[in-house]
Amino acid sequence: QVQLVESGGGLVQPGGFLRLSCAASGIIFSISAMGWYRQAPGNERELVAVITSGGSTNYADSVKDRFTISRDNAKNTVYLQMNSLKPEDTAVYYCNVRGVRGRDTYDSWGQGTQVTVSS
């Protein structure tokens, strides 16, 4: 079935950068959107960025102008370039892919990758 594997997380200093990758395999549906969510301890999971099949993007206000979501359709991979990182960006980041096939809908999640922004 669908498998999403995230990578690229780690520990960085404030103002630093990271590039998250999410490689998807076993995609059996037409992708509607790919996105990144994050969840910090004690917080609800929140949408960080999303890119639709048409290429349009949306970002949380807190990351707009700092993060960039992109995709490589040939490689079934979605990326999140995170610049000017702040301590409040610390969270587990999850890749999400949604799509449809016929009357069925699909909503797949990766296992998450830890991002820690600290001095």
Side-chain angles (χ1 to χ4, degrees):
Q1 288 186 298
V2 176
Q3 183 178 14
L4 306 179
V5 180
E6 300 108 329
S7 63
L11 172 64
V12 296
Q13 297 183 190
F17 60 90
L18 286 172
R19 183 178 177 87
L20 305 183
S21 298
C22 173
S25 62
I27 299 295
I28 60 173
F29 50 84
S30 176
I31 295 175
S32 299
M34 298 173 284
W36 290 93
Y37 290 70
R38 68 185 181 187
Q39 187 169 22
N43 292 355
E44 298 294 325
R45 187 173 298 187
E46 63 175 344
L47 176 67
V48 177
V50 61
I51 183 167
T52 70
S53 59
S56 63
T57 59
N58 285 297
Y59 298 89
D61 288 341
S62 60
V63 307
K64 187 174 176 58
D65 299 324
R66 297 189 298 118
F67 292 9
T68 302
I69 188 170
S70 62
R71 70 182 193 275
D72 185 333
N73 291 336
K75 297 181 179 180
N76 290 124
T77 301
V78 62
Y79 306 93
L80 185 68
Q81 180 67 46
M82 305 184 294
N83 298 327
S84 302
L85 284 162
K86 305 175 180 179
E88 50 263 45
D89 294 319
T90 296
V92 177
Y93 285 69
Y94 298 91
C95 177
N96 172 251
V97 178
R98 297 178 178 181
V100 299
R101 187 183 68 179
R103 296 182 178 182
D104 295 327
T105 60
Y106 296 82
D107 189 1
S108 301
W109 293 89
Q111 292 298 308
T113 184
Q114 177 71 48
V115 171
T116 302
V117 185
S118 176
S119 297

